Amino acid sequence: MQNNKVNLYQALAACMRGFFEAFAMGVIDDACSGDAEKQAAKMEPKNVKQAMLNYYGEVGNVFFDQMFYAIAQLTYNSVDEAVARVKTECSAEATVPDYMRVACREQAVYDAMLSEYKRNFGALLAGGLPSPKSHLADRVRGDVDAAADAGLCLRLLVRVVIRSYVKGLRLSADGHHEMNQATLLRILAENINMLVHDSVITGDFETIDQLLTHVCGGEEAFAIISEEMNVVMNDLYAE
């Protein structure tokens, strides 16, 4: 992160991975809630695959709901510009890909988004998720000069992760819908670190605040994510 800017493709990749990991873990945590045996085995490949297959048909709609405005805020100066383009370019027969092309604004960004979608979702259907190390090795690089505001990127990532996790948590009709704070904080820390530092987390931390301050790159950015976490959680409790 330099001069309060983040590479656009780096931010896009972090948000995409954050969405898929958070949504999947919401589904999995809900399925395993209150069952110690299931909790212990929840990340076994067969269980991850089954959880994703149970909600295969929901992924596209949840992705659109959580990611359209997030990506549009990365690519436009104003979301109103994206909305105006939707009105002129997307007819009543428009598909989710049509809307996402508008959100991405440029074909190169859309291609990167599609590549990240396939890579992350494909990994889940195979029983896992790209590790931070493999994510960093395989993510789309794109235009090195394309940039987005760092504070905005942090807020968007926090919002995507929390809302996608809760959406996955609430999908079932008979689950407990109990949020696992440890899961949520791990997802946030890993993906924020990749957004900010483009690396895996290293170091020893005595508290969660120390960890989050490190992955954010300092106190100012930590204050941004803390504020956004409170805003998002309050919004969710009000829904």
Side-chain angles (χ1 to χ4, degrees), residues 103-171:
C104 291
R105 192 170 188 171
E106 298 179 0
Q107 186 63 38
V109 179
Y110 178 78
D111 290 343
M113 182 276 295
L114 192 59
S115 178
E116 297 293 341
Y117 187 105
K118 291 178 178 177
R119 186 164 64 86
N120 284 281
F121 193 25
L124 284 171
L125 291 176
L129 191 77
S131 67
K133 186 175 180 179
S134 66
H135 168 88
L136 295 168
D138 298 335
R139 73 168 179 83
V140 177
R141 269 13 193 207
D143 182 357
V144 296
D145 294 322
D149 179 76
L152 173 64
C153 292
L154 283 168
R155 291 184 185 277
L156 291 175
L157 181 55
V158 168
R159 183 165 289 269
V160 163
V161 165
I162 296 177
R163 293 193 66 88
S164 300
Y165 176 80
V166 172
K167 189 71 175 180
L169 198 69
R170 292 176 175 175
L171 273 181

Side-chain angles (χ1 to χ4, degrees), residues 125-227:
L125 291 176
L129 191 77
S131 67
K133 186 175 180 179
S134 66
H135 168 88
L136 295 168
D138 298 335
R139 73 168 179 83
V140 177
R141 269 13 193 207
D143 182 357
V144 296
D145 294 322
D149 179 76
L152 173 64
C153 292
L154 283 168
R155 291 184 185 277
L156 291 175
L157 181 55
V158 168
R159 183 165 289 269
V160 163
V161 165
I162 296 177
R163 293 193 66 88
S164 300
Y165 176 80
V166 172
K167 189 71 175 180
L169 198 69
R170 292 176 175 175
L171 273 181
S172 72
D174 56 356
H176 292 88
H177 309 327
E178 294 177 358
M179 185 179 296
N180 186 320
Q181 291 188 348
T183 294
L184 196 52
L185 288 171
R186 177 189 59 76
I187 298 171
L188 283 168
E190 283 188 352
N191 288 286
I192 289 172
N193 195 71
M194 288 185 283
L195 168 69
V196 175
H197 300 288
D198 201 30
S199 67
V200 298
I201 298 174
T202 58
D204 296 319
F205 309 97
E206 295 181 0
T207 67
I208 292 296
D209 283 359
Q210 286 181 359
L211 170 62
L212 292 177
T213 300
H214 168 77
V215 300
C216 288
E219 294 287 347
E220 182 178 352
F222 175 59
I224 289 174
I225 72 151
S226 298
E227 179 185 40

